[in-house]
Amino acid sequence: GKLNTGGGGWAPERTDRLRWLQVDLRERVEVTAVATQGRFGSPDWVTSYMLLYSDTGRAWKQFRQEDNIGTFSGNINSDGIVHHKLSHSIRTRFLRFLPVDWSPGGWMGLRVEVYGCAYKSDVADFNGRSSLLYRFNQKSTSTVKDVISLRFKSQRGDGVLVHGEGQRGDYITLELHKGRLALHINLDDVKMHPSSGHVSVFLGSLLDDQHWHSVLIERFNKQINFTVDRLTKHVRTGGLDDSLEVDYELSFGGIPLPGKPGTFLRKNFHGCMENLYYNGVNIIDLAKRRKPQIYSVGNVTFTCSEPQLVSATFLSSSSSFLSLPLDAATETLSVTFQFRTWNREGMLLSAWLRRESERLLLLLVHGQLRLTHHRSALQSSDIVIGQALSDGQWHTVSISVGGFQVSLSVDDEPPSTMQLKDIAQPERSVLIGGCPSVLTNQGCRNPTLAYQGCMRSVIINNQPINFNLVQQGLLGNYSKLQFDICGIRDRCLPNYCEHDGECSQSWNTLFCDCSGTGYTGATCHNSIFEPSCEAHRLTGSASGFFSIDPDGSGPLKSTVVYCNITGETSVWTVVNHNSTEMVRVQGSSLQKPHVMKFNYSTSLEQLRTLVGRSEQCQQEVVYLCRKSRLFNTWDGTPLSWWLDRAGERRTYWGGFLPGVQQCACSLDENCIDMNHFCNCDADHSSWENDTGVLSYKEHLPVTEILVGDTNRSGSEAIYRVGSLHCYGDRFLWNAASFYQESSYLHFPMLQAELSIDISLYFKTTAPSGVFLENLGAKDFIRVELSAPSVVTFTFDVGNGPVVLMVKSHLPLNDKQWHYVRAERNVKEASLQVDQLPLRFLEAPSEGHTHLQLNSQLFIGGTASRQRGFLGCIRSLSINGMTLDLEERAKMTPGVSSGCPGHCSSQNSLCHNRGKCIEKSSGYVCDCTHSAYGGPNCKKEVSMSFESGSSVTYTFQEPFSVMRNHSRQSSAIFAQSSNSRESIAFSFLTTQTPAMLLTVNTYHQQYMAIILAHNGSLQIWYRLNREKEPDIFTPTSLNLANGELHRVQIHREGRDMYVQVSSEKVKKKKFGRAGVDEEVLQAGSRGFIGCLSSVQFNHLAPLKAAILNRGSSLVSVLGNLVESNCGELADKSSSRSLSDHADTGSRGKKLTNAAQSDSAVIGGLIAAVVLITLCAVAVMTRFLYRHRNERTQQMASVKEKDHQPRPELRYRAELDLHGAMRDSRKEYFI
């Protein structure tokens, strides 16, 4: 089987079930590379294979390359040699080459070579009751630098490896805890500084796998580098001290004296250590030579005992099973086994009783064990025990069946029992992990999923099962099992969930719970907040407190600011700090100055991003003085100054010229003494004013002010530093025009190894062109218009090219702005174009994950200068950072800054989500997705509701939604609803209780926005039909006061952000449950008043209902009047409700409006239906209808006005018990 040997090579028999080539290196060797070749003179070779390694030849581990790739590429013929240098060396005795794929025209054939060098080590074996003590020469040792290194292997998930402590409270402990390594260090005196210097670091996972793991701890003063198997964490200890004081000794393998104060009472380590060094001292070598510094507790040996715990891996969640026979004479059944998995569902065991008339079934359900005794198809009884058993840890299960009783136990829990009516009589065999396909017609079906995970120590009727006999075909039967190996891996290490998302996993993939992070997406990559106040203005928001995320999907969190929207085209972002009051200063000098530090409501990093994104920023400094100078009048030395955001001293007090030591009066040439640049420097005894506005962006905001000349008689100063005010968003309309096909803009290489999001707007008349491209040696990423109506997103991370395409039913080269967003992460890739359905592909569970690029980023072209883009690109953002196209275009031939056209300026022509459409002689506004109307999408669309009136608006789901079905199970596994909605509306009423708005789906989920009896706003959510609804009250004020109130809601999973009128945004995490009674009462009362500008995501259901009276999607009950309450409320907030219900000139009957516009708008609504990704139901009042009339009423669009007991009808609608089993969902208005 060696390379280049003629006339031979390894090839298994075609009937052989053990198809691997095993190499025994005779002793442990450090292996660095392998090479393969096909079988000599034959059509037999291996095209891909797995490499397994083991110290004993029994317990194996799969070698994984970078990106956790578990397979190696093999040969394409029988003579060529393929070398693979291992990404990290392995120290092992045995190697297995396990073919995965082979010659299509032949069979498996291998000749191999292994490269490496000799490996020697000092080994110690600890039995869980032993340890080694390294005793110091003096009573205690104090170190500022420590280095501890070792390698270990264990089959136990808990145990102390290293421990040392001092009398003053210092300690260091390294321990295994549930298969992870924990490092605990404290450097401070616990009596003087309790717990201030303590730090705990956790690293690694599944370290109880009977294989070697390396550990390195490096400490210098407070800085600690902790490394486990090539993963490193850098931490700093707290407290005041830098040294670690340990008394008498350092223990390895356990804590021999558990009664000492301050020690961690933990299990001792059970396993082997090798090459154990403490600050350069070889501990095991000293112990082997019986040196006096080492004291041995218990039985420590210097050869590693090898326990024979052999595992089997169940590979498939659909077809894995293990069938084991039972003794025909047995009348009882006892089964014990250990399992570890990440899957929350799966079948563990099935056994027939009483001549196959009864069945015992052990399932893993929601991470619990459920043992079911099926007496018949309709009769069964259960035992449910355990919690969180899908945590990746080993768990021991025991089942005992005998006489009239069945018992079940897990781990150390007491057994649970179940009584049987008849004596149990086990049948011929036991099924473990799943059901064979040949038995599916005999009642053995996988009820949920077959088991997918590891299993070991299987004992049936006190007889251990020999897996070696099973895999040789001498015992039982099996399918899709891998023996002698536990193939579990931790996909959450490292954690690919961004922005503090919580990672969970199944056997094949990971899931990210983004609740509470402010981010969304498969890996919590995308911010749910707008990037600026300017973006909020463009969505139609009024002034108020808003959360913004200036760097989008970048590392910085969102922050709350005040958006002062002063007009149709202007908005100021206001950031407050801790001291906006006037401050009086006396008695200060340069030796003892007055110092005030300003802490802003957001971090300096966020402020730097916000300021950089703004067009201009300013901050007013009010400064009044009396015999108090700002500068020394003799030599110009500053006597007072302020610090900028970088902590640099600044001595100018107005304007935007940072290098000039002067005040605003000097810039305006109106100082009271022209010999000085500041009024205060005239040193008058009267009050003078040097108030100025600082407007040099790179220095803002002011972080500290120092006043130093108020210690003379009569000296005094008063100052106030105002809030930071920033205007505009210079990136929203940052654009470049490309008018030569060979032209492009280039930027630095993308930093996007694991995740990237790209968003841009484009307009063109060209049939194709590349928007963006970045190349690597083999990897690449590209976004392009590949055809007049097709946008394509293509990339390759090493698994072959991935192509996502979105095709529009209309041409995209129509000289109008179109939106494109492409995203790629370790979970999936997606492409969005305008409001078309999202297209996405899930990433393979096994494969490369890192996008490796090595060249510049090209915008509007390619490195080959072919397929260049002709047209405009604007607002190009990559991972939250917007590229400055305009600045780069100024120095690039063939490209110009900005973009011609009416719809290419920051002066928004179309408001409230309206879309600007270019025309040959001007522009028009498309208000389809806006809740407003009129030429510029600014006209309020309002409706007045009388008693008993309502509107039903029904949307139907698209026939096909571009998504994979497996995504649903992902959401279920993560235990989080990944749905989202953005809702905005205005209302005016004096009635309580009242139903304002309800969202309802046929999945028996609902959301209700009501006014309670006291007029307070309540938001009810029921996302899980099996649980009680959640309630959120954003404000306790009485909103039923006859005034117009604006409500804005954004929900992302289990997080909700609410703003009422101009109050501050409030955040709610679901968790408090309530009952439906208040919703029922509000629904029974309905709504009397005015609703205005209702927006649900990109839909405007109220406006659509007004304009589509004749459509089959719209159903009207009672007398509804089109109103203008939104506009009137701006002029007078005291107008009564009767004014809005009046049918005079201010109101227009809905029926008239519908009849005149239905023919035109009907087609428009059809387009809305086609692009809706998820249909919902919005209502201000549930319609009380008989269920047996439901289908007929849907078709005829008629309602009955009289309904008995409306609260019962409303409850029936809430229950949705079979009422929405069709594909429709409804808006009720």
Side-chain angles (χ1 to χ4, degrees):
K2 286 190 175 183
L3 294 185
N4 297 319
T5 55
W10 169 82
E13 296 290 339
R14 292 185 181 265
T15 57
D16 192 355
R17 301 187 75 171
L18 310 181
R19 297 171 180 172
W20 63 70
L21 174 60
Q22 184 167 311
V23 179
D24 185 355
L25 302 174
R26 304 298 182 188
E27 60 181 356
R28 290 180 70 204
V29 172
E30 185 162 0
V31 179
T32 58
V34 296
T36 60
Q37 195 176 23
R39 203 159 68 92
F40 179 77
S42 74
D44 303 338
W45 59 84
V46 172
T47 58
S48 66
Y49 61 93
M50 292 190 294
L51 184 65
L52 278 58
Y53 60 95
S54 171
D55 279 355
T56 64
R58 293 292 292 145
W60 295 82
K61 187 170 185 176
Q62 183 179 358
F63 180 85
R64 292 189 174 272
Q65 307 175 73
E66 293 179 353
D67 278 352
N68 270 307
I69 302 300
T71 58
F72 289 82
S73 57
N75 304 89
I76 58 174
N77 54 46
S78 61
D79 298 324
I81 300 175
V82 178
H83 290 266
H84 285 287
K85 183 179 180 181
L86 303 186
S87 56
H88 57 276
S89 63
I90 51 177
R91 300 165 178 107
T92 188
R93 174 178 171 178
F94 296 94
L95 287 174
R96 266 187 192 174
F97 294 82
L98 186 64
V100 175
D101 208 352
W102 48 87
S103 165
W107 184 235
M108 305 177 194
L110 269 179
R111 286 175 285 173
V112 302
E113 195 73 67
V114 178
Y115 303 89
C117 51
Y119 176 71
K120 301 295 182 182
S121 66
D122 295 306
V123 180
D125 186 279
F126 300 85
N127 62 8
R129 297 179 299 278
S130 57
S131 63
L132 292 176
L133 306 183
Y134 174 59
R135 291 181 167 169
F136 307 128
N137 295 328
Q138 60 270 21
K139 179 180 177 181
S140 66
T141 179
S142 178
T143 59
V144 295
K145 179 180 180 181
D146 290 302
V147 178
I148 301 174
S149 63
L150 60 96
R151 285 165 54 83
F152 75 93
K153 70 175 181 177
S154 175
Q155 59 175 316
R156 305 285 177 85
D158 297 276
V160 173
L161 284 82
V162 181
H163 178 75
E165 62 183 61
Q167 291 184 350
R168 71 169 195 166
D170 292 27
Y171 55 79
I172 178 171
T173 302
L174 176 69
E175 65 169 338
L176 267 175
H177 180 63
K178 292 188 176 181
R180 304 180 69 197
L181 269 181
L183 175 64
H184 310 285
I185 291 184
N186 182 62
L187 302 182
D188 262 2
D189 188 326
V190 295
K191 295 180 180 179
M192 298 179 61
H193 313 287
S195 74
S196 63
H198 169 80
V199 64
S200 292
V201 192
F202 292 87
L203 197 57
S205 178
L206 308 174
L207 301 178
D208 54 344
D209 59 355
Q210 304 181 64
H211 292 279
W212 290 103
H213 300 280
S214 59
V215 183
L216 176 62
I217 302 169
E218 300 169 298
R219 182 187 70 86
F220 182 72
N221 295 333
K222 292 185 175 66
Q223 183 64 40
I224 300 171
N225 300 332
F226 182 32
T227 303
V228 177
D229 291 342
R230 301 176 305 283
L231 283 177
T232 302
K233 276 191 176 181
H234 307 280
V235 296
R236 284 184 63 86
T237 63
L240 303 176
D241 291 334
D242 293 332
S243 61
L244 173 66
E245 291 191 10
V246 178
D247 293 341
Y248 301 110
E249 63 197 18
L250 202 63
S251 64
F252 301 93
I255 305 176
L257 300 175
K260 297 171 69 175
T263 58
F264 288 80
L265 298 178
R266 299 284 190 267
K267 293 181 180 179
N268 282 14
F269 175 71
H270 191 156
C272 302
M273 292 191 214
E274 70 174 8
N275 297 344
L276 172 58
Y277 286 86
Y278 168 69
N279 289 342
V281 177
N282 188 335
I283 301 298
I284 298 176
D285 178 64
L286 292 180
K288 288 166 67 175
R289 294 190 287 133
R290 299 180 182 273
K291 293 295 182 178
Q293 302 99 305
I294 301 296
Y295 179 74
S296 179
V297 177
N299 185 24
V300 178
T301 60
F302 300 105
T303 57
C304 190
S305 61
E306 303 290 352
Q308 298 297 312
L309 287 179
V310 179
S311 300
T313 303
F314 291 71
L315 299 173
S316 171
S317 62
S318 59
S319 54
S320 288
F321 74 88
L322 172 61
S323 176
L324 295 172
L326 295 177
D327 189 344
T330 185
E331 294 184 357
T332 62
L333 174 65
S334 65
V335 181
T336 302
F337 59 87
Q338 293 182 332
F339 76 93
R340 76 186 313 174
T341 185
W342 298 116
N343 285 1
R344 293 162 51 80
E345 318 284 338
M347 171 181 156
L348 289 172
L349 181 139
S350 175
W352 293 103
L353 305 177
R354 298 180 60 79
R355 299 179 182 178
E356 300 189 359
S357 63
E358 300 181 13
R359 184 185 179 201
L360 276 180
L361 189 62
L362 179 63
L363 301 178
L364 193 61
V365 180
H366 300 307
Q368 294 182 293
L369 287 182
R370 176 184 294 170
L371 180 64
T372 304
H373 175 221
H374 291 277
R375 295 187 295 277
S376 67
L378 300 177
Q379 291 183 315
S380 64
S381 51
D382 293 336
I383 297 176
V384 178
I385 64 171
Q387 293 287 338
L389 300 179
S390 55
D391 58 357
Q393 304 297 311
W394 284 109
H395 298 283
T396 302
V397 179
S398 295
I399 301 174
S400 178
V401 182
F404 293 91
Q405 185 171 284
V406 178
S407 67
L408 172 68
S409 65
V410 60
D411 297 333
D412 298 325
E413 294 185 15
S416 298
T417 60
M418 180 195 317
Q419 298 301 317
L420 305 179
K421 291 185 177 180
D422 300 304
I423 296 177
Q425 296 177 353
E427 289 297 319
R428 299 179 301 274
S429 64
V430 171
L431 286 171
I432 296 178
C435 290
S437 57
V438 295
L439 295 181
T440 55
N441 294 328
Q442 303 177 27
C444 182
R445 293 184 178 88
N446 296 326
T448 52
L449 298 171
Y451 173 69
Q452 199 174 21
C454 300
M455 200 170 286
R456 71 183 185 190
S457 303
V458 180
I459 302 173
I460 298 180
N461 290 337
N462 299 318
Q463 294 295 318
I465 300 301
N466 188 335
F467 280 160
N468 192 38
L469 296 178
V470 174
Q471 62 181 324
Q472 292 178 17
L474 302 177
L475 178 65
N477 189 19
Y478 69 91
S479 172
K480 296 294 179 67
L481 261 67
Q482 188 175 9
F483 292 95
D484 304 334
I485 184 172
C486 178
I488 192 170
R489 52 179 282 214
D490 192 338
R491 298 176 185 272
C492 290
L493 189 69
N495 184 1
Y496 291 124
C497 301
E498 303 176 53
H499 302 110
D500 300 324
E502 184 177 339
C503 182
S504 59
Q505 59 191 306
S506 67
W507 189 261
N508 292 323
T509 190
L510 64 92
F511 310 95
C512 296
D513 185 355
C514 310
S515 299
T517 64
Y519 295 84
T520 185
T523 58
C524 309
H525 178 74
N526 307 309
S527 177
I528 66 176
F529 300 108
E530 299 288 356
S532 63
C533 285
E534 178 68 23
H536 277 289
R537 181 185 70 83
L538 292 176
T539 63
S541 298
S543 295
F545 288 95
F546 291 93
S547 289
I548 64 170
D549 195 342
D551 76 331
S553 56
L556 301 180
K557 297 281 189 176
S558 64
T559 184
V560 176
V561 299
Y562 184 79
C563 296
N564 187 13
I565 302 174
T566 56
E568 295 180 357
T569 61
S570 62
V571 56
W572 286 89
T573 303
V574 183
V575 184
N576 295 317
H577 56 74
N578 59 323
S579 178
T580 55
E581 303 297 325
M582 301 292 282
V583 179
R584 184 181 297 270
V585 182
Q586 292 176 310
S588 66
S589 65
L590 284 181
Q591 290 73 33
K592 292 184 178 181
H594 164 85
V595 178
M596 173 69 76
K597 295 183 178 181
F598 301 103
N599 297 317
Y600 289 82
S601 57
T602 183
S603 69
L604 287 178
E605 290 81 4
Q606 291 169 321
L607 283 171
R608 186 180 295 108
T609 305
L610 188 153
V611 170
R613 191 179 184 103
S614 303
E615 290 184 9
Q616 65 184 66
C617 291
Q618 64 186 42
Q619 197 165 11
E620 183 186 50
V621 179
V622 176
Y623 198 91
L624 308 175
C625 55
R626 184 171 62 179
K627 293 192 67 176
S628 173
R629 299 160 297 167
L630 290 171
F631 300 96
N632 188 312
T633 53
W634 293 102
D635 57 10
T637 302
L639 300 177
S640 298
W641 58 82
W642 54 275
L643 302 185
D644 65 12
R645 68 178 183 224
E648 298 290 331
R649 180 191 296 189
R650 301 298 170 188
T651 56
Y652 65 99
W653 296 88
F656 55 89
L657 299 175
V660 182
Q661 290 191 175
Q662 55 187 1
C663 298
C665 69
S666 177
L667 299 175
D668 297 336
E669 298 183 352
N670 60 0
C671 294
I672 59 174
D673 187 340
M674 298 306 296
N675 294 318
H676 302 290
F677 294 122
C678 295
N679 289 324
C680 291
D681 291 349
D683 209 19
H684 290 176
S685 57
S686 59
W687 283 103
E688 304 297 342
N689 191 339
D690 268 325
T691 296
V693 177
L694 306 174
S695 56
Y696 187 67
K697 278 202 326 177
E698 282 67 22
H699 291 169
L700 296 179
V702 177
T703 59
E704 185 176 309
I705 193 170
L706 182 146
V707 180
D709 185 29
T710 61
N711 61 334
R712 296 175 293 156
S713 176
S715 293
E716 193 173 2
I718 298 175
Y719 72 87
R720 179 177 63 83
V721 176
S723 302
L724 175 68
H725 289 69
C726 290
Y727 172 80
D729 186 338
R730 67 189 187 94
F731 289 146
L732 275 180
W733 288 92
N734 190 290
S737 300
F738 300 81
Y739 51 88
Q740 291 181 9
E741 191 171 345
S742 60
S743 62
Y744 56 81
L745 300 178
H746 59 84
F747 289 85
M749 181 184 73
L750 290 176
Q751 302 299 316
E753 281 197 342
L754 293 173
S755 61
I756 182 173
D757 68 275
I758 303 165
S759 62
L760 59 92
Y761 291 86
F762 77 92
K763 70 174 180 177
T764 183
T765 57
S768 64
V770 175
F771 303 133
L772 173 149
E773 181 184 83
N774 205 166
L775 303 179
K778 295 182 179 179
D779 298 359
F780 70 89
I781 187 169
R782 183 185 303 118
V783 184
E784 62 183 318
L785 180 70
S786 55
S789 59
V790 180
V791 173
T792 304
F793 175 35
T794 315
F795 64 89
D796 189 349
V797 296
N799 306 317
V802 176
V803 180
L804 284 89
M805 299 173 59
V806 171
K807 186 172 183 179
S808 171
H809 58 286
L810 297 173
L812 298 173
N813 60 341
D814 55 357
K815 206 177 179 180
Q816 306 297 335
W817 285 113
H818 297 282
Y819 175 70
V820 176
R821 188 181 189 279
E823 181 181 357
R824 178 261 156 188
N825 54 56
V826 298
K827 283 277 292 177
E828 64 187 27
S830 62
L831 178 63
Q832 178 89 55
V833 178
D834 294 333
Q835 299 289 350
L836 296 172
L838 178 75
R839 184 67 185 266
F840 78 88
L841 289 173
E842 290 189 0
S845 60
E846 301 287 340
H848 293 276
T849 56
H850 288 72
L851 177 65
Q852 299 180 345
L853 307 173
N854 60 11
S855 64
Q856 289 183 317
L857 167 65
F858 289 82
I859 305 298
T862 65
S864 61
R865 294 178 177 268
Q866 296 177 351
R867 297 184 297 135
F869 174 74
L870 295 174
C872 296
I873 296 177
R874 72 169 172 89
S875 192
L876 173 56
S877 179
I878 300 175
N879 281 346
M881 298 303 295
T882 304
L883 302 186
D884 195 342
L885 303 180
E886 293 184 352
E887 193 64 32
R888 190 61 60 96
K890 293 177 182 177
M891 58 188 78
T892 306
V895 187
S896 62
S897 298
C899 186
H902 296 277
C903 300
S904 300
S905 66
Q906 189 160 348
N907 296 323
S908 179
L909 303 174
C910 304
H911 302 264
N912 303 307
R913 297 176 182 258
K915 182 180 180 181
C916 184
I917 304 295
E918 295 279 4
K919 295 294 183 181
S920 57
S921 59
Y923 73 94
V924 295
C925 291
D926 179 3
C927 306
T928 302
H929 301 304
S930 173
Y932 294 75
N936 299 95
C937 308
K938 292 167 56 179
K939 181 183 177 183
E940 297 266 358
V941 177
S942 309
M943 181 180 285
S944 291
F945 290 79
E946 298 177 358
S947 178
S949 61
S950 64
V951 172
T952 306
Y953 193 91
T954 304
F955 279 87
Q956 194 164 7
E957 276 188 315
F959 178 75
S960 174
V961 179
M962 297 179 182
R963 62 184 297 163
N964 294 340
H965 294 294
S966 60
R967 194 172 172 87
Q968 297 175 1
S969 62
S970 301
I972 295 171
F973 182 90
Q975 290 184 310
S976 172
S977 173
N978 289 324
S979 59
R980 61 187 297 184
E981 58 262 356
S982 295
I983 303 169
F985 64 91
S986 300
F987 73 92
L988 183 153
T989 187
T990 56
Q991 170 201 331
T992 61
M995 174 65 69
L996 297 175
L997 185 123
T998 299
V999 181
N1000 202 359
T1001 77
Y1002 66 83
H1003 293 297
Q1004 301 189 24
Q1005 300 170 317
Y1006 78 84
M1007 181 203 75
I1009 306 175
I1010 68 172
L1011 291 182
H1013 286 280
N1014 61 0
S1016 64
L1017 188 74
Q1018 290 186 353
I1019 303 171
W1020 293 62
Y1021 264 99
R1022 171 172 269 171
L1023 300 178
N1024 188 333
R1025 61 187 179 187
E1026 298 178 358
K1027 296 182 179 180
E1028 293 297 321
D1030 298 285
I1031 316 167
F1032 179 36
T1033 304
T1035 177
S1036 58
L1037 299 177
N1038 180 10
L1039 301 183
N1041 55 4
E1043 298 180 6
L1044 193 74
H1045 299 282
R1046 183 74 174 166
V1047 178
Q1048 298 178 80
I1049 301 170
H1050 180 91
R1051 183 183 71 86
E1052 188 72 44
R1054 288 181 287 191
D1055 297 319
M1056 182 167 57
Y1057 303 84
V1058 183
Q1059 183 169 22
V1060 180
S1061 298
S1062 60
E1063 291 188 6
K1064 193 171 182 178
V1065 175
K1066 297 181 180 179
K1067 176 181 174 182
K1068 166 71 176 177
K1069 191 177 183 73
F1070 290 126
R1072 185 168 64 89
V1075 294
D1076 296 320
E1077 293 301 327
E1078 292 184 62
V1079 180
L1080 298 174
Q1081 293 178 15
S1084 66
R1085 294 290 302 276
F1087 177 74
I1088 301 175
C1090 179
L1091 274 175
S1092 177
S1093 304
V1094 179
Q1095 187 89 43
F1096 192 95
N1097 293 336
H1098 65 279
L1099 305 173
L1102 181 62
K1103 187 177 76 171
I1106 292 175
L1107 300 177
N1108 285 269
R1109 176 65 179 89
S1111 170
S1112 62
L1113 302 173
V1114 179
S1115 171
V1116 178
L1117 175 67
N1119 187 27
L1120 295 171
V1121 179
E1122 190 176 350
S1123 175
N1124 56 352
C1125 62
E1127 298 177 4
L1128 295 175
D1130 293 336
K1131 302 174 183 178
S1132 173
S1133 60
S1134 59
R1135 198 176 295 271
S1136 66
L1137 274 176
S1138 59
D1139 292 334
H1140 299 284
D1142 185 15
T1143 57
S1145 60
R1146 290 192 303 275
K1148 189 176 182 181
K1149 288 284 187 179
L1150 176 65
T1151 52
N1152 297 334
Q1155 290 170 354
S1156 60
D1157 292 330
S1158 60
V1160 178
I1161 303 299
L1164 189 61
I1165 291 300
V1168 174
V1169 173
L1170 288 175
I1171 65 173
T1172 304
L1173 286 179
C1174 76
V1176 288
V1178 179
M1179 71 172 99
T1180 58
R1181 183 166 183 254
F1182 273 108
L1183 306 178
Y1184 313 125
R1185 295 171 293 184
H1186 293 286
R1187 290 184 183 174
N1188 57 7
E1189 299 172 347
R1190 178 80 177 207
T1191 306
Q1192 180 182 356
Q1193 289 172 347
M1194 284 285 190
S1196 62
V1197 202
K1198 293 181 179 178
E1199 300 292 345
K1200 293 197 173 183
D1201 201 322
H1202 60 283
Q1203 296 292 343
R1205 299 196 64 186
E1207 292 188 13
L1208 294 179
R1209 290 294 177 198
Y1210 186 71
R1211 184 184 294 276
E1213 291 287 342
L1214 268 184
D1215 291 340
L1216 295 168
H1217 205 52
M1220 291 189 176
R1221 293 178 181 172
D1222 54 10
S1223 63
R1224 292 189 168 201
K1225 305 175 188 177
E1226 296 181 345
Y1227 289 77
F1228 296 83
I1229 295 179

